[in-house]
Amino acid sequence: MQNHYVALTEILDSRSVINTDAIDVRYHVDWGGVNPCAPSLVLRPEDSTALSKALNYCNEQGLAVVTQGGMTGLSSGATPLVGEIALSLERINGITELDCEGMTMTVKAGTPLQVIQQAAEDVGLRFPLDLGARGSCQIGGNVATNAGGNQVVRFGSARALVLGMEVVLANGTVMRSMNKMIKNNAGYDLKHLFIGSEGTLGVITELVLRLYPAKKTQQTALCALPDFASTTTFLREIMAEIPGVTSFEVMWQNYVNAICEVNEQVRQPFDEQHAIYVLLEAEGCTQDQFHQALFDKMEDGLVSDALVASSLKDSDAFWAIRDGVADLMAGLNGFATFDVGLPISSMEDFVAATDNALQARFSNINNLPLGHIADGNLHFITWTGDPADVKPIYDTVYEVVHQFDGTVTAEHGIGMSKREYLPLCRSSEELELMRVLKKTMDPKGILNSGRIFLDE
Ligand SMILES: Cc1cc2nc3c(=O)[nH]c(=O)nc-3n(C[C@H](O)[C@H](O)[C@H](O)COP(=O)(O)OP(=O)(O)OC[C@H]3O[C@@H](n4cnc5c(N)ncnc54)[C@H](O)[C@@H]3O)c2cc1C
């Protein structure tokens, strides 16, 4: 590797290449923390021209490269494999243009999400992609994983917020497709090849993002529901009455109980316990309209009880229950986490079937469901206390996902952690076409090799 270090230092400069013995642990593993591994070198180019030259060299030499954004991924996609060179986007960051009239922002791919949100807010606009890792994740990583988050029900995933893109292909070709228009039907919309393909087809270096006007009002409530069947009806009816629903986060009773147990700051929200809790957030309506809509749902029996936030402190307390999942995981010794997707109509049966399948196979199973139900995305945290059960838990749950025609990942991507399960939710024809694309765009297989496909 020493000769490649020398050559890459000449192509870039000594600041842009970190040699084997000086590599910080932050380049070793993503947030998921599975199988940390030091890369053989780290490249930190300062712009896409430098990145292009470095990639061209790696391609000619057949050197495997893993692209790294903010390293908050949960699927081991950015974690290096032995011998791989890490390509970090951390220095390719900053806002290039803010077009307030056209409501677009042009940004370098290494810009943290929160910086983009703040810059939009400062001019009375808004970039509505939002997730818990906002302070560390980069917009390039968000787009590469087609990240979802808390407001997908209203604004869509990252894909819906990207208008244009600059991407560097495996051989170093820089493809600029910096479209700023919402409608453009001139030929193939190539940006979609790179959105959600987890860095396997190219390295995203710059983006044109779609902005929205800032919200003027926001209402938040924590609602208690008698059962899951009421949840889907409540979702449909509340969206008809309040078009500005931005979040509809569902938590099962056992999840809320577990969060209250691990975190003393989080209290049971209601005097009585309820089967289901919905964290509802909406904008574009008055507090009276919001109250009235919830009151009507209580009259109909869909909602058993509701707490409406009257201050930011109240809404933070509601969100602390939803976001307490990280505290919960920190205290567990070996657990499986899921971000599966299902048609909303199958969700209740799916949850019951999953519970049955887990109970049948494990004697001491804990299974806590929660999710962004409005976009068909369900999370579970599942464990028995024995780390050896983690893999069989994944096998069991993904088999049920397959039976219900769901997807093994609605948000976090396949990376390396779900490769063997991809055929459970994609047909052989789909997989074959994916391989053809990969082979065509990266014939030497240098980009994020071993991610998405098990047999690559
Ligand atoms: C607390 C917490 C909350 C989270 N909540 C959510 C959530 O609500 N919704 C959600 O979808 N995810 C969520 N995530 C997962 C994670 O934050 C997202 O997947 C995020 O989009 C990853 O961005 P990143 O910059 O950290 O990417 P990384 O982890 O660095 O990389 C992720 C993948 O993208 C590739 N990649 C990174 N940058 C580029 C680039 N410029 N060009 C090409 N490929 C690239 C990498 O090779 C890797 O395969 C959460 C994570 C944490 C820790």
Side-chain angles (χ1 to χ4, degrees):
M1 202 36 77
Q2 194 53 27
N3 54 336
H4 296 308
Y5 170 71
V6 174
L8 283 159
T9 307
E10 277 167 18
I11 292 168
L12 301 173
D13 56 62
S14 58
R15 221 187 130 214
S16 306
V17 189
I18 307 176
N19 207 352
T20 320
D21 47 6
I23 295 174
D24 189 271
V25 290
R26 74 174 191 274
Y27 302 105
H28 291 194
V29 68
D30 73 4
W31 201 87
V34 178
N35 295 334
C37 174
S40 54
L41 298 173
V42 176
L43 306 180
R44 305 165 63 240
E46 63 175 350
D47 56 26
S48 53
T49 307
L51 190 149
S52 150
K53 287 181 191 158
L55 217 45
N56 178 267
Y57 175 84
C58 293
N59 191 49
E60 280 183 358
Q61 300 291 322
L63 300 173
V65 173
V66 58
T67 301
Q68 297 189 337
M71 300 297 272
T72 69
L74 300 169
S75 302
S76 302
T79 300
L81 289 167
V82 175
E84 269 181 342
I85 294 176
L87 174 58
S88 170
L89 272 287
E90 62 197 355
R91 287 177 67 211
I92 306 185
N93 78 69
I95 295 166
T96 322
E97 189 200 46
L98 187 43
D99 177 350
C100 294
E101 203 176 339
M103 292 204 288
T104 65
M105 192 190 296
T106 306
V107 296
K108 302 288 183 188
T111 312
L113 174 61
Q114 199 166 24
V115 171
I116 293 166
Q117 292 173 333
Q118 188 60 54
E121 211 178 302
D122 289 346
V123 294
L125 293 171
R126 157 191 206 191
F127 182 59
L129 185 71
D130 190 35
L131 43 133
R134 63 184 77 77
S136 311
C137 63
Q138 299 175 0
I139 190 65
N142 299 148
V143 173
T145 56
N146 188 25
N150 301 332
Q151 304 191 92
V152 171
V153 59
R154 183 149 162 79
F155 298 101
S157 299
R159 185 182 298 281
L161 299 167
V162 176
L163 296 175
M165 176 185 289
E166 177 189 82
V167 65
V168 182
L169 305 181
N171 64 4
T173 301
V174 180
M175 187 190 78
R176 274 183 78 74
S177 180
M178 300 295 282
N179 170 68
K180 286 177 82 177
M181 294 160 287
I182 289 172
K183 294 169 88 174
N184 184 347
N185 284 347
Y188 299 163
D189 198 345
L190 295 172
K191 64 177 182 278
H192 289 298
L193 278 176
F194 304 95
I195 302 174
S197 54
E198 301 180 50
T200 56
L201 301 180
V203 181
I204 300 163
T205 46
E206 197 169 357
L207 291 153
V208 182
L209 304 174
R210 183 175 183 184
L211 304 180
Y212 282 82
K215 59 187 165 200
K216 292 219 163 98
T217 59
Q218 178 175 291
Q219 315 296 340
T220 309
L222 189 66
C223 308
L225 278 74
D227 47 39
F228 187 80
S230 310
T231 314
T232 45
T233 313
F234 178 43
L235 169 67
R236 206 173 47 246
E237 294 192 4
I238 204 78
M239 285 185 75
E241 280 170 43
I242 303 179
V245 170
T246 47
S247 298
F248 191 91
E249 299 292 314
V250 178
M251 297 164 281
W252 272 251
Q253 180 188 356
N254 58 354
Y255 169 80
V256 174
N257 291 348
I259 296 297
C260 293
E261 260 173 49
V262 293
N263 189 340
E264 285 173 2
Q265 314 286 329
V266 181
R267 298 227 196 95
Q268 283 287 346
F270 298 93
D271 293 339
E272 284 171 42
Q273 298 211 352
H274 298 269
I276 301 284
Y277 299 84
V278 172
L279 177 43
L280 176 70
E281 211 152 69
E283 54 191 50
C285 63
T286 64
Q287 199 171 48
D288 284 352
Q289 287 168 325
F290 192 65
H291 274 272
Q292 186 60 49
L294 289 178
F295 183 74
D296 291 347
K297 298 306 139 214
M298 286 172 77
E299 291 259 293
D300 296 347
L302 280 178
V303 173
S304 315
D305 205 347
L307 297 167
V308 177
S310 56
S311 65
L312 195 59
K313 194 170 159 225
D314 287 349
S315 71
D316 284 351
F318 298 161
W319 277 102
I321 306 175
R322 171 61 182 82
D323 293 339
V325 60
D327 300 328
L328 183 70
M329 294 193 294
L332 296 175
N333 176 26
F335 58 88
T337 57
F338 296 93
D339 72 305
V340 301
L342 279 305
I344 295 176
S345 50
S346 316
M347 225 167 238
E348 187 177 12
D349 293 342
F350 168 79
V351 172
T354 303
D355 267 339
N356 289 341
L358 288 167
Q359 300 283 357
R361 191 161 174 189
F362 306 95
S363 55
N364 187 24
I365 195 82
N366 299 278
N367 187 33
L368 307 182
L370 70 155
H372 320 287
I373 301 297
D375 36 275
N377 183 189
L378 199 58
H379 294 285
F380 289 129
I381 302 138
T382 314
W383 73 97
T384 62
D386 181 355
D389 286 336
V390 171
K391 169 79 170 67
I393 289 173
Y394 280 118
D395 294 346
T396 306
V397 173
Y398 288 141
E399 191 45 49
V400 185
V401 170
H402 175 55
Q403 287 159 18
F404 278 80
D405 289 330
T407 172
V408 298
T409 174
E411 279 195 329
H412 303 155
I414 295 290
M416 288 194 277
S417 62
K418 303 189 198 85
R419 294 176 302 181
E420 68 180 283
Y421 305 107
L422 182 62
L424 292 178
C425 57
R426 292 292 190 191
S427 67
S428 53
E429 293 79 12
E430 286 176 299
L431 290 172
E432 185 49 33
L433 187 52
M434 287 185 203
R435 285 202 179 85
V436 169
L437 282 170
K438 172 69 178 165
K439 192 82 194 150
T440 306
M441 297 177 68
D442 179 16
K444 292 190 177 176
I446 66 155
L447 287 180
N448 281 13
S449 172
R451 280 76 176 177
I452 298 185
F453 307 106
L454 188 60
D455 54 356
E456 202 199 349

